[in-house]
Amino acid sequence: MKRLFITGGAGFIGANFVHYWAENHPGDFILVFDALTYAGNISSIEPALADERAVFVRGDICNRELVEFLLGEYAIDTIVNFAAESHVDRSITGPDAFIKTNIQGTHALLEAARSIWLNGHGMPHRFHHVSTDEVYGSLGPDDPPFSETTPYAPNSPYSASKAASDHLVRAYHHTYGLDVTTSNCSNNYGPYQFPEKLIPLCIINILNGNPLPVYGDGLNIRDWLYVEDHCRGIELVINRGRAGSVYNIGGCNEWTNIDIVHLVCQEVDLAIEASPSLRESFPDAPASRGAKSRELITFVSDRPGHDRRYAIDAEKARRELGYSPMTDFDKGIRLTVRWYLDNTRWWQEILDGSYRDWINRNYGSRGIEL
Ligand code: NAD
Ligand code: TDX
């Protein structure tokens, strides 16, 4: 039985991971530790928190003393670090928070783990760090996909801060013998993704009849993975990955942005055309008046320093861990569109600000102090 400390567990991938782990390891204890920044949403994990083996603490990973106290108090043996500032565009307009959370926060977590786990008792432990393919930089059209030995070449403040955190994790293994693993994953999509990222942004903008902003020429390429496949990959790394190892996780599923936007338009249109109640709920969606969502596509200025192409070579994870993605893209996009149609309250409360008001009322605007 494991006792997990899941940082960033109220965010997109973290919340999916909390559900995945609770379902597949019902005897394990889970402590979700999350600062509930703009991207954190406690309602995403409410069902999992109803279990007596789950605890939620609002806190900042930069708060080493608090983390150290909780690791000891709850006899934690596994940290899974999802907590991060994760949006590239925000890192361009405001990099400070990325340096603080992604670098200083990961360092504070490592120090807390070192202090609790390497204190002479030799307690079995695992520090799993969740990272990104963006640390490897940008690929040309004919370059081979990123492998674990591809040199780091991060291009945005976001990817540079993630790269720095990866190096710290590596160094704590090499220098102190902390039992660490790192996974570098490609673009995720699925339920609970904050509506600033491309796919949920497009779904919601279509429903509200708003423009679909496509950066530059729309021909940038990403390798998309359904979030549940990422969660399974992380589970495999935690359970079977070698200490000190890095594993790339990806979907083997490269798409240009414009093709993704077209696919999302098509799926939303099909759903609305088939449902009078959706037409009533979303009168501004093009399909509700017999038009096509692709008319909302608007090419806008490119993201500064926009990486052209990412692609992951997940052969090491396949060979060593038996990892392979299970959800094909058509199915994953259909499931994702369906989730946003069935969970309008989740995203409408984010858009209208009522969710943030609720958090501030129930959790205080500054977080808990222990
Ligand atoms: P997200 O932005 O949806 O969620 C981040 C979570 O971390 C939020 O709940 C937020 O409240 C919390 N958080 C932020 N700062 C914190 C702090 N200082 N202390 C405690 N909690 C804090 O992010 P995501 O998309 O779920 O990404 C999770 C992790 O996976 C990140 O490390 C990201 O770099 C990595 N990743 C994401 C993707 C992707 O496609 N989304 C792909 C590869 C890797
Ligand atoms: O409105 C948009 N229009 C657009 O063309 C947005 C939000 C994005 N884009 C483009 C930029 C990217 O090429 O779509 C692509 C995907 O953009 P995002 O959803 O912002 O993701 P990306 O920048 O690729 O980064 C994501 O994947 C890797 C996550 O946000 C990172 O946390 C993860 O590490």
Side-chain angles (χ1 to χ4, degrees), residues 92-145:
I92 295 167
T93 51
D96 291 8
F98 290 72
I99 304 306
K100 187 153 190 301
T101 286
N102 299 0
I103 304 178
Q104 293 175 15
T106 302
H107 182 239
L109 277 182
L110 287 163
E111 275 293 286
R114 178 164 86 94
S115 152
I116 292 291
W117 287 339
L118 301 182
N119 58 5
H121 302 306
M123 177 183 175
H125 62 269
R126 171 58 56 90
F127 185 113
H128 181 70
H129 180 59
V130 180
S131 193
T132 171
D133 58 358
E134 302 200 14
V135 298
Y136 299 118
S138 185
L139 291 168
D142 300 320
D143 289 339

Side-chain angles (χ1 to χ4, degrees), residues 3-5 29-31 33 55 57 64-77 112 115-117 119 123 368 370:
R3 299 183 66 81
L4 283 83
F5 188 86
F29 171 78
I30 291 175
L31 192 157
F33 186 78
V55 167
V57 176
R64 176 185 156 180
E65 289 71 29
L66 175 56
V67 173
E68 207 173 305
F69 167 76
L70 293 168
L71 294 182
E73 183 71 10
Y74 287 95
I76 299 294
D77 54 33
S115 152
I116 292 291
W117 287 339
N119 58 5
M123 177 183 175
I368 64 151
L370 282 186

Side-chain angles (χ1 to χ4, degrees), residues 38 85-99 102 134 154-161 196 215 222 301-307 310:
Y38 80 93
E85 288 294 333
S86 70
H87 191 40
V88 174
D89 293 330
R90 286 179 190 258
S91 85
I92 295 167
T93 51
D96 291 8
F98 290 72
I99 304 306
N102 299 0
E134 302 200 14
N155 287 319
S156 70
Y158 163 68
S159 53
S161 66
E196 64 188 349
Y215 299 163
R222 300 289 182 264
S301 307
D302 209 353
R303 172 185 279 175
H306 197 176
D307 285 336
Y310 304 141

Side-chain angles (χ1 to χ4, degrees), residues 148 236 247-249 314-323:
E148 290 80 359
L236 286 167
Y247 296 90
N248 281 0
I249 299 177
E315 174 55 22
K316 180 180 173 190
R318 191 195 63 73
R319 198 178 57 246
E320 288 191 18
L321 312 174
Y323 165 78

Side-chain angles (χ1 to χ4, degrees), residues 157-238:
Y158 163 68
S159 53
S161 66
K162 291 297 289 186
S165 67
D166 294 4
H167 291 319
L168 284 167
V169 171
R170 180 183 183 280
Y172 269 65
H173 175 70
H174 188 82
T175 303
Y176 303 114
L178 197 69
D179 182 326
V180 305
T181 42
T182 298
S183 50
N184 292 84
C185 189
S186 57
N187 283 60
N188 285 216
Y189 68 102
Y192 303 113
Q193 188 166 30
F194 194 80
E196 64 188 349
K197 307 283 167 66
L198 180 66
I199 289 176
L201 179 91
C202 285
I203 297 170
I204 290 168
N205 281 11
I206 292 170
L207 295 174
N208 289 330
N210 291 328
L212 307 178
V214 174
Y215 299 163
D217 61 8
L219 297 179
N220 300 68
I221 292 173
R222 300 289 182 264
D223 177 353
W224 292 90
L225 182 69
Y226 192 59
V227 63
E228 195 180 26
D229 282 326
H230 186 189
C231 294
R232 216 182 47 264
I234 294 171
E235 175 195 41
L236 286 167
V237 178
I238 291 171

